[in-house]
Amino acid sequence: CNPAMARIYLLEAAPRILGMFHEALSESAATALARLGVQVRTGAAVTALEPGRVTVKADGVEEVIEAHTVLW
């Protein structure tokens, strides 16, 4: 397993991350995470967790993301 090949997703069902904070802070955090290579996906609700996969629904479309490690 090569850590350089890892893909990191931050999935958030709400329209933005850190929704309880001021919108500018939310945008700043999303930008900082993106610079680090994190794929920030808002409006994406996790609908199922199974060994090796996460099912996400966004804009009415379900997608399966293969995942070795999931942090909730």
PDB file of all heavy atoms in Angstrom, residues 21-60:
ATOM      1  N   PHE A  21     -20.388  27.412  11.492  1.00  0.00           N
ATOM      2  CA  PHE A  21     -19.485  28.560  11.556  1.00  0.00           C
ATOM      3  C   PHE A  21     -19.801  29.553  10.440  1.00  0.00           C
ATOM      4  O   PHE A  21     -20.545  29.250   9.506  1.00  0.00           O
ATOM      5  CB  PHE A  21     -18.029  28.101  11.456  1.00  0.00           C
ATOM      6  CG  PHE A  21     -17.587  27.290  12.642  1.00  0.00           C
ATOM      7  CD1 PHE A  21     -17.513  25.904  12.563  1.00  0.00           C
ATOM      8  CD2 PHE A  21     -17.262  27.906  13.843  1.00  0.00           C
ATOM      9  CE1 PHE A  21     -17.123  25.159  13.655  1.00  0.00           C
ATOM     10  CE2 PHE A  21     -16.868  27.159  14.945  1.00  0.00           C
ATOM     11  CZ  PHE A  21     -16.803  25.780  14.848  1.00  0.00           C
ATOM     12  N   HIS A  22     -19.200  30.715  10.532  1.00  0.00           N
ATOM     13  CA  HIS A  22     -19.385  31.751   9.517  1.00  0.00           C
ATOM     14  C   HIS A  22     -18.996  31.197   8.145  1.00  0.00           C
ATOM     15  O   HIS A  22     -18.058  30.406   8.017  1.00  0.00           O
ATOM     16  CB  HIS A  22     -18.524  32.972   9.863  1.00  0.00           C
ATOM     17  CG  HIS A  22     -18.829  34.166   9.025  1.00  0.00           C
ATOM     18  ND1 HIS A  22     -18.270  34.360   7.790  1.00  0.00           N
ATOM     19  CD2 HIS A  22     -19.657  35.214   9.241  1.00  0.00           C
ATOM     20  CE1 HIS A  22     -18.724  35.483   7.272  1.00  0.00           C
ATOM     21  NE2 HIS A  22     -19.567  36.037   8.146  1.00  0.00           N
ATOM     22  N   GLU A  23     -19.711  31.616   7.114  1.00  0.00           N
ATOM     23  CA  GLU A  23     -19.493  31.092   5.771  1.00  0.00           C
ATOM     24  C   GLU A  23     -18.052  31.297   5.288  1.00  0.00           C
ATOM     25  O   GLU A  23     -17.487  30.434   4.612  1.00  0.00           O
ATOM     26  CB  GLU A  23     -20.467  31.742   4.790  1.00  0.00           C
ATOM     27  CG  GLU A  23     -20.483  31.065   3.444  1.00  0.00           C
ATOM     28  CD  GLU A  23     -21.611  31.546   2.550  1.00  0.00           C
ATOM     29  OE1 GLU A  23     -22.571  32.143   3.050  1.00  0.00           O
ATOM     30  OE2 GLU A  23     -21.508  31.303   1.336  1.00  0.00           O
ATOM     31  N   ALA A  24     -17.426  32.413   5.652  1.00  0.00           N
ATOM     32  CA  ALA A  24     -16.040  32.667   5.228  1.00  0.00           C
ATOM     33  C   ALA A  24     -15.091  31.614   5.799  1.00  0.00           C
ATOM     34  O   ALA A  24     -14.161  31.173   5.121  1.00  0.00           O
ATOM     35  CB  ALA A  24     -15.603  34.070   5.647  1.00  0.00           C
ATOM     36  N   LEU A  25     -15.315  31.199   7.041  1.00  0.00           N
ATOM     37  CA  LEU A  25     -14.472  30.168   7.657  1.00  0.00           C
ATOM     38  C   LEU A  25     -14.690  28.833   6.958  1.00  0.00           C
ATOM     39  O   LEU A  25     -13.737  28.090   6.700  1.00  0.00           O
ATOM     40  CB  LEU A  25     -14.775  30.047   9.143  1.00  0.00           C
ATOM     41  CG  LEU A  25     -13.984  28.988   9.901  1.00  0.00           C
ATOM     42  CD1 LEU A  25     -12.485  29.238   9.795  1.00  0.00           C
ATOM     43  CD2 LEU A  25     -14.406  28.948  11.348  1.00  0.00           C
ATOM     44  N   SER A  26     -15.930  28.543   6.635  1.00  0.00           N
ATOM     45  CA  SER A  26     -16.254  27.312   5.927  1.00  0.00           C
ATOM     46  C   SER A  26     -15.538  27.259   4.581  1.00  0.00           C
ATOM     47  O   SER A  26     -14.928  26.246   4.215  1.00  0.00           O
ATOM     48  CB  SER A  26     -17.775  27.236   5.735  1.00  0.00           C
ATOM     49  OG  SER A  26     -18.125  26.122   4.974  1.00  0.00           O
ATOM     50  N   GLU A  27     -15.602  28.355   3.842  1.00  0.00           N
ATOM     51  CA  GLU A  27     -14.940  28.413   2.536  1.00  0.00           C
ATOM     52  C   GLU A  27     -13.426  28.304   2.673  1.00  0.00           C
ATOM     53  O   GLU A  27     -12.771  27.627   1.877  1.00  0.00           O
ATOM     54  CB  GLU A  27     -15.316  29.708   1.822  1.00  0.00           C
ATOM     55  CG  GLU A  27     -16.757  29.751   1.372  1.00  0.00           C
ATOM     56  CD  GLU A  27     -17.161  31.104   0.820  1.00  0.00           C
ATOM     57  OE1 GLU A  27     -16.294  31.982   0.615  1.00  0.00           O
ATOM     58  OE2 GLU A  27     -18.370  31.289   0.594  1.00  0.00           O
ATOM     59  N   SER A  28     -12.869  28.961   3.691  1.00  0.00           N
ATOM     60  CA  SER A  28     -11.427  28.908   3.922  1.00  0.00           C
ATOM     61  C   SER A  28     -10.977  27.479   4.238  1.00  0.00           C
ATOM     62  O   SER A  28      -9.953  27.008   3.733  1.00  0.00           O
ATOM     63  CB  SER A  28     -11.056  29.848   5.067  1.00  0.00           C
ATOM     64  OG  SER A  28      -9.691  29.770   5.366  1.00  0.00           O
ATOM     65  N   ALA A  29     -11.751  26.787   5.061  1.00  0.00           N
ATOM     66  CA  ALA A  29     -11.413  25.402   5.410  1.00  0.00           C
ATOM     67  C   ALA A  29     -11.478  24.502   4.176  1.00  0.00           C
ATOM     68  O   ALA A  29     -10.584  23.671   3.964  1.00  0.00           O
ATOM     69  CB  ALA A  29     -12.367  24.890   6.486  1.00  0.00           C
ATOM     70  N   ALA A  30     -12.504  24.669   3.360  1.00  0.00           N
ATOM     71  CA  ALA A  30     -12.635  23.850   2.150  1.00  0.00           C
ATOM     72  C   ALA A  30     -11.461  24.100   1.204  1.00  0.00           C
ATOM     73  O   ALA A  30     -10.917  23.160   0.616  1.00  0.00           O
ATOM     74  CB  ALA A  30     -13.965  24.146   1.456  1.00  0.00           C
ATOM     75  N   THR A  31     -11.058  25.350   1.080  1.00  0.00           N
ATOM     76  CA  THR A  31      -9.925  25.694   0.214  1.00  0.00           C
ATOM     77  C   THR A  31      -8.632  25.085   0.741  1.00  0.00           C
ATOM     78  O   THR A  31      -7.847  24.518  -0.024  1.00  0.00           O
ATOM     79  CB  THR A  31      -9.790  27.231   0.096  1.00  0.00           C
ATOM     80  OG1 THR A  31     -10.993  27.746  -0.482  1.00  0.00           O
ATOM     81  CG2 THR A  31      -8.606  27.617  -0.761  1.00  0.00           C
ATOM     82  N   ALA A  32      -8.414  25.192   2.052  1.00  0.00           N
ATOM     83  CA  ALA A  32      -7.199  24.635   2.659  1.00  0.00           C
ATOM     84  C   ALA A  32      -7.147  23.122   2.488  1.00  0.00           C
ATOM     85  O   ALA A  32      -6.092  22.564   2.168  1.00  0.00           O
ATOM     86  CB  ALA A  32      -7.133  25.015   4.135  1.00  0.00           C
ATOM     87  N   LEU A  33      -8.264  22.458   2.683  1.00  0.00           N
ATOM     88  CA  LEU A  33      -8.301  21.006   2.512  1.00  0.00           C
ATOM     89  C   LEU A  33      -8.032  20.618   1.064  1.00  0.00           C
ATOM     90  O   LEU A  33      -7.300  19.660   0.793  1.00  0.00           O
ATOM     91  CB  LEU A  33      -9.648  20.451   2.975  1.00  0.00           C
ATOM     92  CG  LEU A  33      -9.869  20.465   4.486  1.00  0.00           C
ATOM     93  CD1 LEU A  33     -11.335  20.216   4.817  1.00  0.00           C
ATOM     94  CD2 LEU A  33      -8.980  19.425   5.151  1.00  0.00           C
ATOM     95  N   ALA A  34      -8.613  21.356   0.137  1.00  0.00           N
ATOM     96  CA  ALA A  34      -8.389  21.072  -1.287  1.00  0.00           C
ATOM     97  C   ALA A  34      -6.918  21.229  -1.640  1.00  0.00           C
ATOM     98  O   ALA A  34      -6.368  20.436  -2.411  1.00  0.00           O
ATOM     99  CB  ALA A  34      -9.254  21.984  -2.142  1.00  0.00           C
ATOM    100  N   ARG A  35      -6.257  22.234  -1.075  1.00  0.00           N
ATOM    101  CA  ARG A  35      -4.813  22.421  -1.328  1.00  0.00           C
ATOM    102  C   ARG A  35      -3.999  21.231  -0.828  1.00  0.00           C
ATOM    103  O   ARG A  35      -2.937  20.926  -1.367  1.00  0.00           O
ATOM    104  CB  ARG A  35      -4.312  23.687  -0.631  1.00  0.00           C
ATOM    105  CG  ARG A  35      -4.494  24.918  -1.448  1.00  0.00           C
ATOM    106  CD  ARG A  35      -3.690  26.089  -0.870  1.00  0.00           C
ATOM    107  NE  ARG A  35      -4.494  27.266  -0.981  1.00  0.00           N
ATOM    108  CZ  ARG A  35      -4.914  28.027   0.017  1.00  0.00           C
ATOM    109  NH1 ARG A  35      -4.564  27.757   1.253  1.00  0.00           N
ATOM    110  NH2 ARG A  35      -5.657  29.070  -0.202  1.00  0.00           N
ATOM    111  N   LEU A  36      -4.494  20.577   0.204  1.00  0.00           N
ATOM    112  CA  LEU A  36      -3.816  19.396   0.751  1.00  0.00           C
ATOM    113  C   LEU A  36      -4.155  18.128  -0.026  1.00  0.00           C
ATOM    114  O   LEU A  36      -3.673  17.049   0.301  1.00  0.00           O
ATOM    115  CB  LEU A  36      -4.194  19.210   2.226  1.00  0.00           C
ATOM    116  CG  LEU A  36      -3.678  20.277   3.182  1.00  0.00           C
ATOM    117  CD1 LEU A  36      -4.312  20.101   4.561  1.00  0.00           C
ATOM    118  CD2 LEU A  36      -2.159  20.211   3.279  1.00  0.00           C
ATOM    119  N   GLY A  37      -5.023  18.254  -1.014  1.00  0.00           N
ATOM    120  CA  GLY A  37      -5.374  17.098  -1.830  1.00  0.00           C
ATOM    121  C   GLY A  37      -6.643  16.391  -1.399  1.00  0.00           C
ATOM    122  O   GLY A  37      -6.977  15.340  -1.944  1.00  0.00           O
ATOM    123  N   VAL A  38      -7.345  16.942  -0.415  1.00  0.00           N
ATOM    124  CA  VAL A  38      -8.599  16.340   0.043  1.00  0.00           C
ATOM    125  C   VAL A  38      -9.701  16.702  -0.950  1.00  0.00           C
ATOM    126  O   VAL A  38      -9.833  17.859  -1.341  1.00  0.00           O
ATOM    127  CB  VAL A  38      -8.969  16.842   1.455  1.00  0.00           C
ATOM    128  CG1 VAL A  38     -10.321  16.298   1.891  1.00  0.00           C
ATOM    129  CG2 VAL A  38      -7.884  16.473   2.449  1.00  0.00           C
ATOM    130  N   GLN A  39     -10.478  15.728  -1.347  1.00  0.00           N
ATOM    131  CA  GLN A  39     -11.609  15.973  -2.229  1.00  0.00           C
ATOM    132  C   GLN A  39     -12.832  16.267  -1.362  1.00  0.00           C
ATOM    133  O   GLN A  39     -13.403  15.366  -0.757  1.00  0.00           O
ATOM    134  CB  GLN A  39     -11.859  14.759  -3.127  1.00  0.00           C
ATOM    135  CG  GLN A  39     -10.707  14.499  -4.080  1.00  0.00           C
ATOM    136  CD  GLN A  39     -10.982  13.325  -4.988  1.00  0.00           C
ATOM    137  OE1 GLN A  39     -12.100  13.120  -5.442  1.00  0.00           O
ATOM    138  NE2 GLN A  39      -9.942  12.541  -5.247  1.00  0.00           N
ATOM    139  N   VAL A  40     -13.175  17.544  -1.258  1.00  0.00           N
ATOM    140  CA  VAL A  40     -14.310  17.972  -0.446  1.00  0.00           C
ATOM    141  C   VAL A  40     -15.565  17.889  -1.303  1.00  0.00           C
ATOM    142  O   VAL A  40     -15.642  18.513  -2.357  1.00  0.00           O
ATOM    143  CB  VAL A  40     -14.104  19.409   0.080  1.00  0.00           C
ATOM    144  CG1 VAL A  40     -15.316  19.862   0.875  1.00  0.00           C
ATOM    145  CG2 VAL A  40     -12.833  19.498   0.925  1.00  0.00           C
ATOM    146  N   ARG A  41     -16.535  17.109  -0.841  1.00  0.00           N
ATOM    147  CA  ARG A  41     -17.783  16.936  -1.590  1.00  0.00           C
ATOM    148  C   ARG A  41     -18.949  17.282  -0.686  1.00  0.00           C
ATOM    149  O   ARG A  41     -19.252  16.547   0.252  1.00  0.00           O
ATOM    150  CB  ARG A  41     -17.889  15.505  -2.096  1.00  0.00           C
ATOM    151  CG  ARG A  41     -16.744  15.207  -3.041  1.00  0.00           C
ATOM    152  CD  ARG A  41     -16.907  14.019  -3.927  1.00  0.00           C
ATOM    153  NE  ARG A  41     -18.231  13.765  -4.377  1.00  0.00           N
ATOM    154  CZ  ARG A  41     -18.624  12.567  -4.787  1.00  0.00           C
ATOM    155  NH1 ARG A  41     -17.792  11.548  -4.775  1.00  0.00           N
ATOM    156  NH2 ARG A  41     -19.855  12.383  -5.207  1.00  0.00           N
ATOM    157  N   THR A  42     -19.570  18.406  -0.955  1.00  0.00           N
ATOM    158  CA  THR A  42     -20.736  18.803  -0.189  1.00  0.00           C
ATOM    159  C   THR A  42     -21.991  18.365  -0.933  1.00  0.00           C
ATOM    160  O   THR A  42     -21.951  18.065  -2.123  1.00  0.00           O
ATOM    161  CB  THR A  42     -20.750  20.329   0.035  1.00  0.00           C
ATOM    162  OG1 THR A  42     -20.685  20.992  -1.230  1.00  0.00           O
ATOM    163  CG2 THR A  42     -19.566  20.763   0.895  1.00  0.00           C
ATOM    164  N   GLY A  43     -23.095  18.305  -0.203  1.00  0.00           N
ATOM    165  CA  GLY A  43     -24.327  17.814  -0.810  1.00  0.00           C
ATOM    166  C   GLY A  43     -24.254  16.330  -1.103  1.00  0.00           C
ATOM    167  O   GLY A  43     -25.002  15.807  -1.933  1.00  0.00           O
ATOM    168  N   ALA A  44     -23.349  15.643  -0.443  1.00  0.00           N
ATOM    169  CA  ALA A  44     -23.119  14.216  -0.684  1.00  0.00           C
ATOM    170  C   ALA A  44     -23.390  13.441   0.605  1.00  0.00           C
ATOM    171  O   ALA A  44     -22.606  13.499   1.541  1.00  0.00           O
ATOM    172  CB  ALA A  44     -21.684  13.978  -1.153  1.00  0.00           C
ATOM    173  N   ALA A  45     -24.508  12.750   0.642  1.00  0.00           N
ATOM    174  CA  ALA A  45     -24.913  12.004   1.833  1.00  0.00           C
ATOM    175  C   ALA A  45     -24.468  10.554   1.729  1.00  0.00           C
ATOM    176  O   ALA A  45     -24.709   9.899   0.706  1.00  0.00           O
ATOM    177  CB  ALA A  45     -26.425  12.073   2.000  1.00  0.00           C
ATOM    178  N   VAL A  46     -23.836  10.061   2.771  1.00  0.00           N
ATOM    179  CA  VAL A  46     -23.477   8.647   2.831  1.00  0.00           C
ATOM    180  C   VAL A  46     -24.755   7.865   3.108  1.00  0.00           C
ATOM    181  O   VAL A  46     -25.462   8.131   4.078  1.00  0.00           O
ATOM    182  CB  VAL A  46     -22.424   8.389   3.926  1.00  0.00           C
ATOM    183  CG1 VAL A  46     -22.168   6.894   4.088  1.00  0.00           C
ATOM    184  CG2 VAL A  46     -21.132   9.121   3.603  1.00  0.00           C
ATOM    185  N   THR A  47     -25.073   6.929   2.246  1.00  0.00           N
ATOM    186  CA  THR A  47     -26.297   6.140   2.403  1.00  0.00           C
ATOM    187  C   THR A  47     -26.025   4.712   2.855  1.00  0.00           C
ATOM    188  O   THR A  47     -26.936   4.039   3.329  1.00  0.00           O
ATOM    189  CB  THR A  47     -27.104   6.121   1.087  1.00  0.00           C
ATOM    190  OG1 THR A  47     -26.304   5.565   0.051  1.00  0.00           O
ATOM    191  CG2 THR A  47     -27.564   7.518   0.709  1.00  0.00           C
ATOM    192  N   ALA A  48     -24.775   4.261   2.702  1.00  0.00           N
ATOM    193  CA  ALA A  48     -24.444   2.902   3.137  1.00  0.00           C
ATOM    194  C   ALA A  48     -22.942   2.770   3.329  1.00  0.00           C
ATOM    195  O   ALA A  48     -22.157   3.369   2.588  1.00  0.00           O
ATOM    196  CB  ALA A  48     -24.922   1.873   2.122  1.00  0.00           C
ATOM    197  N   LEU A  49     -22.584   1.991   4.339  1.00  0.00           N
ATOM    198  CA  LEU A  49     -21.184   1.618   4.588  1.00  0.00           C
ATOM    199  C   LEU A  49     -21.114   0.103   4.598  1.00  0.00           C
ATOM    200  O   LEU A  49     -21.872  -0.554   5.312  1.00  0.00           O
ATOM    201  CB  LEU A  49     -20.712   2.135   5.948  1.00  0.00           C
ATOM    202  CG  LEU A  49     -20.469   3.613   6.095  1.00  0.00           C
ATOM    203  CD1 LEU A  49     -20.170   3.954   7.552  1.00  0.00           C
ATOM    204  CD2 LEU A  49     -19.328   4.049   5.213  1.00  0.00           C
ATOM    205  N   GLU A  50     -20.229  -0.431   3.805  1.00  0.00           N
ATOM    206  CA  GLU A  50     -20.014  -1.870   3.760  1.00  0.00           C
ATOM    207  C   GLU A  50     -18.501  -2.080   3.730  1.00  0.00           C
ATOM    208  O   GLU A  50     -17.765  -1.172   3.362  1.00  0.00           O
ATOM    209  CB  GLU A  50     -20.643  -2.461   2.504  1.00  0.00           C
ATOM    210  CG  GLU A  50     -22.138  -2.238   2.397  1.00  0.00           C
ATOM    211  CD  GLU A  50     -22.665  -2.673   1.039  1.00  0.00           C
ATOM    212  OE1 GLU A  50     -22.389  -3.824   0.649  1.00  0.00           O
ATOM    213  OE2 GLU A  50     -23.324  -1.856   0.388  1.00  0.00           O
ATOM    214  N   PRO A  51     -18.051  -3.259   4.078  1.00  0.00           N
ATOM    215  CA  PRO A  51     -16.614  -3.502   4.002  1.00  0.00           C
ATOM    216  C   PRO A  51     -16.078  -3.178   2.604  1.00  0.00           C
ATOM    217  O   PRO A  51     -16.571  -3.686   1.601  1.00  0.00           O
ATOM    218  CB  PRO A  51     -16.483  -4.995   4.309  1.00  0.00           C
ATOM    219  CG  PRO A  51     -17.685  -5.296   5.151  1.00  0.00           C
ATOM    220  CD  PRO A  51     -18.781  -4.423   4.583  1.00  0.00           C
ATOM    221  N   GLY A  52     -15.128  -2.260   2.547  1.00  0.00           N
ATOM    222  CA  GLY A  52     -14.483  -1.921   1.289  1.00  0.00           C
ATOM    223  C   GLY A  52     -15.208  -0.919   0.421  1.00  0.00           C
ATOM    224  O   GLY A  52     -14.764  -0.618  -0.684  1.00  0.00           O
ATOM    225  N   ARG A  53     -16.345  -0.375   0.897  1.00  0.00           N
ATOM    226  CA  ARG A  53     -17.079   0.557   0.036  1.00  0.00           C
ATOM    227  C   ARG A  53     -17.992   1.483   0.837  1.00  0.00           C
ATOM    228  O   ARG A  53     -18.524   1.114   1.867  1.00  0.00           O
ATOM    229  CB  ARG A  53     -17.874  -0.186  -1.012  1.00  0.00           C
ATOM    230  CG  ARG A  53     -18.808  -1.214  -0.452  1.00  0.00           C
ATOM    231  CD  ARG A  53     -19.356  -2.170  -1.474  1.00  0.00           C
ATOM    232  NE  ARG A  53     -20.456  -1.557  -2.197  1.00  0.00           N
ATOM    233  CZ  ARG A  53     -20.885  -1.962  -3.368  1.00  0.00           C
ATOM    234  NH1 ARG A  53     -20.302  -2.980  -3.965  1.00  0.00           N
ATOM    235  NH2 ARG A  53     -21.881  -1.376  -3.966  1.00  0.00           N
ATOM    236  N   VAL A  54     -18.151   2.670   0.287  1.00  0.00           N
ATOM    237  CA  VAL A  54     -19.051   3.683   0.837  1.00  0.00           C
ATOM    238  C   VAL A  54     -19.992   4.085  -0.297  1.00  0.00           C
ATOM    239  O   VAL A  54     -19.547   4.393  -1.394  1.00  0.00           O
ATOM    240  CB  VAL A  54     -18.262   4.925   1.316  1.00  0.00           C
ATOM    241  CG1 VAL A  54     -19.192   6.003   1.823  1.00  0.00           C
ATOM    242  CG2 VAL A  54     -17.243   4.551   2.382  1.00  0.00           C
ATOM    243  N   THR A  55     -21.286   4.070  -0.024  1.00  0.00           N
ATOM    244  CA  THR A  55     -22.262   4.500  -1.020  1.00  0.00           C
ATOM    245  C   THR A  55     -22.692   5.920  -0.669  1.00  0.00           C
ATOM    246  O   THR A  55     -23.038   6.215   0.476  1.00  0.00           O
ATOM    247  CB  THR A  55     -23.480   3.566  -1.064  1.00  0.00           C
ATOM    248  OG1 THR A  55     -23.018   2.234  -1.306  1.00  0.00           O
ATOM    249  CG2 THR A  55     -24.443   3.978  -2.166  1.00  0.00           C
ATOM    250  N   VAL A  56     -22.656   6.785  -1.676  1.00  0.00           N
ATOM    251  CA  VAL A  56     -22.944   8.204  -1.503  1.00  0.00           C
ATOM    252  C   VAL A  56     -24.045   8.597  -2.478  1.00  0.00           C
ATOM    253  O   VAL A  56     -24.052   8.143  -3.628  1.00  0.00           O
ATOM    254  CB  VAL A  56     -21.675   9.050  -1.802  1.00  0.00           C
ATOM    255  CG1 VAL A  56     -21.959  10.529  -1.683  1.00  0.00           C
ATOM    256  CG2 VAL A  56     -20.543   8.645  -0.901  1.00  0.00           C
ATOM    257  N   LYS A  57     -24.957   9.455  -2.015  1.00  0.00           N
ATOM    258  CA  LYS A  57     -25.997   9.975  -2.904  1.00  0.00           C
ATOM    259  C   LYS A  57     -25.846  11.489  -2.974  1.00  0.00           C
ATOM    260  O   LYS A  57     -25.850  12.182  -1.956  1.00  0.00           O
ATOM    261  CB  LYS A  57     -27.383   9.608  -2.394  1.00  0.00           C
ATOM    262  CG  LYS A  57     -28.483   9.955  -3.370  1.00  0.00           C
ATOM    263  CD  LYS A  57     -29.807   9.371  -2.929  1.00  0.00           C
ATOM    264  CE  LYS A  57     -30.857   9.584  -3.997  1.00  0.00           C
ATOM    265  NZ  LYS A  57     -32.120   8.938  -3.621  1.00  0.00           N
ATOM    266  N   ALA A  58     -25.688  12.003  -4.205  1.00  0.00           N
ATOM    267  CA  ALA A  58     -25.550  13.437  -4.442  1.00  0.00           C
ATOM    268  C   ALA A  58     -26.344  13.797  -5.685  1.00  0.00           C
ATOM    269  O   ALA A  58     -26.234  13.118  -6.709  1.00  0.00           O
ATOM    270  CB  ALA A  58     -24.085  13.819  -4.606  1.00  0.00           C
ATOM    271  N   ASP A  59     -27.137  14.834  -5.596  1.00  0.00           N
ATOM    272  CA  ASP A  59     -27.956  15.275  -6.739  1.00  0.00           C
ATOM    273  C   ASP A  59     -28.820  14.140  -7.289  1.00  0.00           C
ATOM    274  O   ASP A  59     -28.996  14.012  -8.501  1.00  0.00           O
ATOM    275  CB  ASP A  59     -27.077  15.863  -7.844  1.00  0.00           C
ATOM    276  CG  ASP A  59     -26.333  17.098  -7.388  1.00  0.00           C
ATOM    277  OD1 ASP A  59     -26.922  17.899  -6.627  1.00  0.00           O
ATOM    278  OD2 ASP A  59     -25.168  17.261  -7.785  1.00  0.00           O
ATOM    279  N   GLY A  60     -29.308  13.285  -6.395  1.00  0.00           N
ATOM    280  CA  GLY A  60     -30.187  12.202  -6.814  1.00  0.00           C
ATOM    281  C   GLY A  60     -29.492  11.005  -7.433  1.00  0.00           C
ATOM    282  O   GLY A  60     -30.149  10.064  -7.859  1.00  0.00           O
TER     283      GLY A  60
END
